[in-house]
């Protein structure tokens, strides 16, 4: 019996532990990741078991963390960097865009940066400013980076290991409001190979409309699909998992089947993942579409104070409202 | 009542102001004088200077150098200047899009580069052609990015010389992380001269303002990393002189980060070599980082796109011309009888041949095939890049006779 009931946070912790056991070159770095185990306890117990050289409590400087991780990677290490909160990644933006994403290309393939940058993202936890952002589109826009996000404990456990094993740099987005969601996780690879890191997953099959979503909104969309079922509407929910590259085959197959598509994410909609998805879907599924692709996301304002966030974030009602609009075409 | 009771009450001393605090007023600043802390062994005329409090800690290293070492350093200085002159000329002839000249900084780079061991690693900015030369990087490798056929492209691990970094200061953190990797590999403080390794991080006076530079000093200090920060203070960050960049010189800043800082005469190759060797030896032995400020001067423009006559006076350049690193080393070798005219002539001839080789290599450097721009974006295949590459090839082929 290798299945265990784990929270998403524990899934990440177990996955990191396995990656560290598997490869002595894997090192974790970040603010408070050692003794404290990270502010979300994702790295809890790892410094105790692997030592301070492999679980590094860094000074409080994000550019410094990512920049030194680059140097460690150039020396042959596989650093896994924790950015404490989404809104704190911007001091490292320069290193990620100017250096991490380009190193392999500008060295004509001589150098690799097998680097994972973990980012707890999204809102819904009543946090103060800069702690609830969804900035994945900045990085998905940048060639040379891979951007993935897990939505449940099983994916947390497997995807973090796959990200560490990737020879390309990976931005690994973790839905922080789902850290404590629990589910059975099969820990043994022999029990069935996990989906590849680049693959989307049909989280719920349906016939009438495709919902494309990822990260924290997967659960919300599944709830919406459950509610829609009661009204006789069959929604197919696709968890994208990988934002760059996109698993377009899974996406297009679904939309060609249902003829309708709604994209849901927490990020403000302007120039966000939904814009790219809508553009690709209308081009590739044009003759199958019965309605325009609609987007549900955060409003195009700075992330609001937490008393407003329930109205800012897409919820079941807003999703179903767009579903109804798409179905009414 | 005693007389002294009539003395006015003593006033509190006025706060010491080292410079004007008004926004527009430059502070007193002599950019031609490195001050008493500066380590120096040879003066502008090539005379060996006596032992002083500043240089005595390094005197043994200089004394251990042989005449052959001196000649070899001189040769490097001349060849490096010639590589640079050729790069400049190739830009003027339209063969390169840009060239950042190191003119005037030859001794700083050769002294630093020659102090390194094979297993040490250098993280340059984009002006470190002299360090590249000392790492045995073929000068031709440096041309591609300035010709626009690649963004660097050489194998950094072939000579332990990282790609040039254009975003000022980024590389200081890469160097720090690399040094942290050396620590984790156990390649510090073993006493094995072929194993213990250190890293050198190069930037200029302009780079010292960057957050990444300061973060690197924090990280390196905390980690006690085997690292030498090498700041070539060439007095100008494009058009901005030192006094617009900092209020204390870079070498004094190191103390605040918890490790030593040294100012060295950047035009004195023996002094630079000695100071760098001492710092690298300490780093390899596990004694942590050092910040070296090589006090030098950018004789040319920032790059071929720059016009320094707009912001600096010729008299300043003239003063620094008197401190020329090559003239100085030549004078030293000649006065000591370590080298004769035949040697100097032979080096000049070698420089001519090297220049011709570089020129030819540059002129013959082909443009890579167009689809190559899609290569190496990712290690593992990426569907967007693969698809666009295929579309690009088909599109190009759709033109009659190809495009």
């Amino acid at each position: 019996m290798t299945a265990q009931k784990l929270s998403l946070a524990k899934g990440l912790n177990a996955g990191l532990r396995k990656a560290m056991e598997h490869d002595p070159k894997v090192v974790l770095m970040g603010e408070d990741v050692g003794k404290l185990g990270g502010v979300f306890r994702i790295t809890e117990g790892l410094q105790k078991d692997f030592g301070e050289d492999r679980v590094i409590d860094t000074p409080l400087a994000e550019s410094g963390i990512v920049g030194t991780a680059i140097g460690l990677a150039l020396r042959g290490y596989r650093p896994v960097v924790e950015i404490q909160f989404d809104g704190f990644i911007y001091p490292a933006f320069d290193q990620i865009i100017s250096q991490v994403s380009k190193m392999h290309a500008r060295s004509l393939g001589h150098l690799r940066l097998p680097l994972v940058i973990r980012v707890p993202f999204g809102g819904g936890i009543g946090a103060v400013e800069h702690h609830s952002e969804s900035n994945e589109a900045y990085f998905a826009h940048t060639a040379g980076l891979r951007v993935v996000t897990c939505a449940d404990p099983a994916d947390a456990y497997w995807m973090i290991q796959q990200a560490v094993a990737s020879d390309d740099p990976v931005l690994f987005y973790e839905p922080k409001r789902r850290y404590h969601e629990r589910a059975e996780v099969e820990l043994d690879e022999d029990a069935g190979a996990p989906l590849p890191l680049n693959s989307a997953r049909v989280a719920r099959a349906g016939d009438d409309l495709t919902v494309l979503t990822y990260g924290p909104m997967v659960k919300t969309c599944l709830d919406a699909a459950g509610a829609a079922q009661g009204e006789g509407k069959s929604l197919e929910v696709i968890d994208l998992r990988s934002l760059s590259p996109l698993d377009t085959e899974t996406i297009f197959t679904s939309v060609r089947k249902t003829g309708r598509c709604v994209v849901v994410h927490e990020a403000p909609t302007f120039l966000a993942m939904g814009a790219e998805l809508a553009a690709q879907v209308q081009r590739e599924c044009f003759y199958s579409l019965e309605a325009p692709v609609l987007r549900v996301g955060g409003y195009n304002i700075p992330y609001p104070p937490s008393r407003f966030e329930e109205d800012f974030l897409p919820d079941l009602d807003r999703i179903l409202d767009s579903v109804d609009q798409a179905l009414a075409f | 009542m005693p007389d002294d009771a009539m003395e006015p009450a003593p006033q509190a001393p006025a706060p010491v102001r080292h410079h004007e605090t008004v926004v527009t007023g430059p502070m007193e600043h002599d950019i031609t004088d490195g001050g008493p802390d500066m380590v120096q062994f040879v003066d502008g005329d090539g005379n060996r200077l006596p032992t002083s409090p500043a240089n005595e800690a390094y005197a043994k290293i200089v004394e251990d150098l042989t005449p052959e070492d001196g000649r070899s350093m001189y040769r490097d200085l001349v060849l490096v200047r010639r590589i640079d002159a050729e790069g400049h000329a190739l830009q003027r002839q339209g063969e390169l899009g840009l060239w950042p000249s190191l003119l005037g900084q030859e001794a700083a780079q050769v002294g630093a580069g020659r102090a390194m061991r094979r297993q040490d690693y250098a993280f340059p900015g984009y002006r470190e052609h002299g360090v590249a030369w000392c790492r045995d990087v073929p000068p031709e490798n440096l041309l591609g990015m300035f010709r626009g056929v690649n963004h660097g492209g050489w194998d950094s691990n072939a000579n332990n010389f990282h790609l040039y970094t254009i975003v000022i200061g980024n590389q200081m953190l890469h160097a720090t992380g690399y040094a942290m990797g050396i620590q984790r590999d156990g390649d510090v403080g073993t006493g094995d001269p072929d194993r213990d390794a250190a890293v050198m991080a190069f930037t200029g006076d302009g780079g010292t303002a960057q957050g990444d530079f300061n973060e690197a000093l924090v990280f390196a200090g905390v980690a006690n990393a085997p690292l030498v920060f090498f700041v070539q203070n060439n007095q100008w960050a494009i058009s901005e002189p030192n006094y617009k960049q900092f209020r204390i010189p870079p070498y004094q800043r190191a103390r605040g980060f918890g490790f030593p800082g040294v100012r060295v005469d950047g035009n004195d190759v023996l002094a630079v070599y000695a100071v760098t060797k001492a710092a690298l030896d300490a780093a390899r032995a596990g004694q942590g980082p050092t910040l070296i400020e090589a006090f030098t001067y950018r004789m040319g423009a920032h790059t071929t796109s720059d016009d320094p006559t707009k912001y600096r006076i010729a008299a300043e350049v003239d003063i620094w011309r008197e401190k020329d690193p090559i003239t100085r080393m030549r004078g030293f070798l000649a006065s000591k009888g370590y080298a004769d005219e035949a040697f100097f002539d032979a080096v000049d001839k070698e420089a001519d041949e090297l220049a011709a080789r570089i020129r030819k290599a540059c002129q013959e450097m082909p443009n890579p095939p167009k689809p190559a721009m899609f290569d190496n974006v990712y290690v593992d295949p990426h569907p967007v890049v693969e698809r666009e590459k295929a579309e690009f090839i088909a599109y190009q082929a759709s033109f009659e006779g190809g495009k």
Side-chain angles (χ1 to χ4, degrees):
Chain A
M1 174 65 189
T2 52
Q4 258 185 43
K5 192 147 192 176
L6 291 179
S7 67
L8 193 150
K10 289 287 183 202
L12 289 167
N13 181 270
L16 287 169
R17 176 178 291 279
K18 211 168 156 207
M20 295 186 78
E21 286 167 352
H22 175 70
D23 183 350
K25 292 293 189 186
V26 176
V27 294
L28 311 188
M29 315 171 62
E31 297 155 7
D32 309 299
V33 299
K35 268 213 173 77
L36 182 66
V39 293
F40 292 109
R41 309 293 183 267
I42 305 302
T43 55
E44 189 160 49
L46 297 177
Q47 189 184 63
K48 182 170 161 284
D49 294 342
F50 294 97
E52 293 187 19
D53 281 351
R54 292 190 64 194
V55 182
I56 308 167
D57 274 321
T58 65
L60 209 163
E62 285 76 11
S63 187
I65 298 168
V66 173
T68 52
I70 291 170
L72 278 157
L74 292 172
R75 181 74 185 181
Y77 286 82
R78 301 183 89 87
V80 182
V81 162
E82 176 173 305
I83 300 293
Q84 200 160 68
F85 282 89
D86 36 57
F88 302 159
I89 201 170
Y90 307 115
F93 199 75
D94 175 32
Q95 286 284 354
I96 297 171
I97 303 300
S98 301
Q99 300 296 334
V100 173
S101 74
K102 297 176 169 73
M103 195 69 82
H104 187 61
R106 62 193 299 271
S107 71
L108 298 181
H110 290 299
L111 301 176
R112 295 176 175 193
L113 291 184
L115 189 66
V116 178
I117 301 173
R118 294 180 36 241
V119 190
F121 83 120
I125 63 164
V128 295
E129 201 181 9
H130 310 300
H131 289 66
S132 302
E133 303 192 1
S134 297
N135 44 31
E136 60 276 11
Y138 294 129
F139 301 102
H141 177 71
T142 300
L145 303 174
R146 292 177 187 271
V147 183
V148 303
T149 172
C150 57
D152 61 34
D155 271 353
Y157 175 73
W158 287 110
M159 288 175 74
I160 191 66
Q161 294 180 63
Q162 292 167 327
V164 174
S166 167
D167 284 329
D168 288 313
V170 178
L171 271 287
F172 192 93
Y173 275 83
E174 302 169 2
K176 71 167 88 80
R177 69 196 278 193
R178 307 297 180 207
Y179 271 147
H180 304 299
E181 303 277 340
R182 289 159 61 84
E184 285 285 318
V185 178
E186 176 56 62
L187 301 176
D188 185 358
E189 195 153 5
D190 298 335
L195 270 183
L197 189 61
N198 292 345
S199 295
R201 176 177 69 97
V202 179
R204 177 188 173 113
D207 299 316
D208 298 335
L209 182 146
T210 300
V211 178
L212 301 177
T213 189
Y214 56 89
M217 283 289 110
V218 172
K219 180 175 187 302
T220 313
C221 289
L222 287 171
D223 291 346
Q229 188 73 46
E231 300 170 5
K233 302 161 194 162
S234 169
L235 309 189
E236 180 149 299
V237 178
I238 295 190
D239 174 5
L240 297 175
R241 299 171 82 252
S242 175
L243 307 183
S244 174
L246 284 165
D247 175 3
T248 49
E249 194 183 324
T250 301
I251 295 165
F252 299 154
T253 301
S254 175
V255 178
R256 286 183 189 124
K257 179 180 76 175
T258 64
R260 290 178 168 84
C261 179
V262 172
V263 185
V264 181
H265 48 57
E266 289 193 13
T269 50
F270 188 77
L271 287 176
M273 287 305 300
E276 177 65 27
L277 288 159
Q280 292 207 29
V281 165
Q282 67 83 17
R283 183 191 147 138
E284 296 299 327
C285 309
F286 190 72
Y287 292 108
S288 307
L289 284 174
E290 304 286 346
V293 179
L294 300 182
R295 293 179 288 162
V296 187
Y299 297 107
N300 291 285
I301 56 173
Y303 196 90
S306 60
R307 299 284 172 135
F308 299 89
E309 72 180 342
E310 280 184 30
D311 295 307
F312 172 87
L313 294 169
D315 62 3
L316 206 122
D317 288 337
R318 279 179 61 204
I319 293 166
L320 291 176
D321 192 46
S322 283
V323 165
D324 287 346
Q325 285 181 43
L327 289 172
F329 260 88
Chain B
M1 187 177 279
D3 285 353
D4 61 0
M6 299 302 289
E7 293 286 314
Q11 289 184 336
V16 178
R17 293 265 181 219
H18 296 292
H19 50 80
E20 296 292 318
T21 53
V22 289
V23 173
T24 52
M27 68 188 211
E28 291 293 325
H29 184 73
D30 181 355
I31 69 149
T32 64
D33 183 0
D37 289 348
M38 187 167 80
V39 179
Q40 204 179 11
F41 282 101
V42 178
D43 72 11
D45 298 323
N47 301 310
R48 175 77 155 82
L49 294 164
T51 302
S52 70
N55 74 17
E56 65 180 344
Y58 308 98
K60 172 91 169 58
I61 296 173
V62 172
E63 282 153 18
D64 285 348
L65 289 169
T66 65
E68 174 53 30
D69 290 330
R71 286 191 294 273
S72 175
M73 284 183 186
Y74 173 84
R75 173 179 171 269
D76 283 346
L77 294 174
V78 171
L79 296 184
V80 161
R81 177 169 291 183
R82 195 51 179 269
I83 292 166
D84 185 66
E86 197 53 40
H88 189 271
L90 285 165
Q91 193 279 334
R92 288 294 185 251
Q93 293 159 16
E95 296 288 343
L96 300 178
L98 183 83
W99 183 255
S101 170
L102 60 60
L103 188 66
Q105 299 173 226
E106 296 88 352
Q109 297 194 10
V110 168
R114 290 188 58 123
M116 299 178 73
R117 288 192 192 146
R118 182 189 49 78
Q119 70 271 27
D120 297 336
Y121 214 106
F123 283 82
Y126 49 76
R127 204 187 294 280
E128 274 64 69
H129 322 315
V131 182
W133 173 257
C134 295
R135 299 301 297 169
D136 296 327
V137 175
E140 294 89 335
N141 283 10
L142 309 176
L143 303 177
M145 64 185 293
F146 298 114
R147 190 172 166 85
V149 302
N150 58 42
H151 291 312
W154 64 81
D155 179 1
S156 325
N157 293 322
N159 301 82
N160 285 8
F161 184 80
H162 189 64
L163 297 173
Y164 276 176
T165 297
I166 290 180
V167 179
I168 304 292
N170 276 177
Q171 75 277 14
M172 309 310 277
L173 285 164
H174 307 163
T176 306
Y178 195 94
M180 291 163 66
I182 290 175
Q183 289 177 297
R184 278 158 183 76
D185 291 342
D187 293 341
V188 182
T190 68
D192 178 351
D194 295 323
R195 176 173 176 186
D196 290 340
V199 179
M200 288 200 69
F202 292 88
T203 192
D205 43 301
T208 65
Q210 286 284 358
D212 279 4
F213 175 82
N214 291 280
E215 290 185 23
L217 265 58
V218 170
F219 277 67
V222 168
N224 203 39
L227 184 62
V228 176
F229 294 102
F230 194 89
V231 177
Q232 291 167 79
N233 180 359
N234 68 14
Q235 313 299 330
W236 292 95
I238 304 190
S239 70
E240 300 203 14
N242 275 190
Y243 73 82
K244 294 210 183 230
Q245 303 183 59
F246 36 71
R247 286 173 74 149
I248 62 165
Y251 76 102
Q252 290 180 8
R253 206 185 292 182
R255 176 50 55 198
F257 292 89
F259 50 87
V262 187
R263 176 177 270 190
V264 63
D265 182 344
N267 287 21
D268 176 350
V269 68
L270 297 180
V272 176
Y273 171 82
V275 166
T276 310
K277 182 177 188 303
L280 283 169
D281 285 347
R284 288 189 214 98
Q287 293 165 23
T290 302
L291 189 158
I292 296 171
E293 177 193 352
F295 193 78
T296 181
Y297 194 74
R298 193 193 77 208
M299 294 298 289
H302 165 67
T303 68
T304 43
S305 299
D306 175 38
D307 175 10
T309 64
K310 282 193 181 311
Y311 53 79
R312 71 182 187 190
I313 54 171
E316 179 184 302
V317 184
D318 291 341
I319 292 171
W320 276 95
R321 193 167 287 119
E322 298 296 312
K323 302 170 184 286
D324 183 81
I326 294 181
T327 311
R328 189 189 298 203
M329 191 58 181
R330 183 173 176 141
F332 173 75
L333 293 175
S335 68
K336 289 278 186 186
Y338 292 164
D340 56 17
E341 287 302 315
F343 169 77
F344 296 129
D345 290 348
V347 172
D348 287 344
K349 184 162 177 294
E350 191 183 357
D352 288 343
E353 289 162 4
L354 177 62
R357 188 187 101 194
I358 292 168
R359 188 160 56 246
K360 185 160 182 288
C362 184
Q363 288 162 345
E364 292 175 354
M365 193 177 288
N367 288 345
K370 290 176 183 178
M373 68 179 165
F374 294 95
D375 294 344
N376 299 308
V377 179
Y378 293 89
V379 176
D380 296 323
H382 188 286
V384 174
V385 180
E386 307 271 305
R387 192 194 70 234
E388 289 190 347
K389 181 177 181 178
E391 288 172 359
F392 176 81
I393 290 169
Y395 176 71
Q396 295 274 319
S398 71
F399 290 89
E400 204 175 331
K403 193 178 179 184

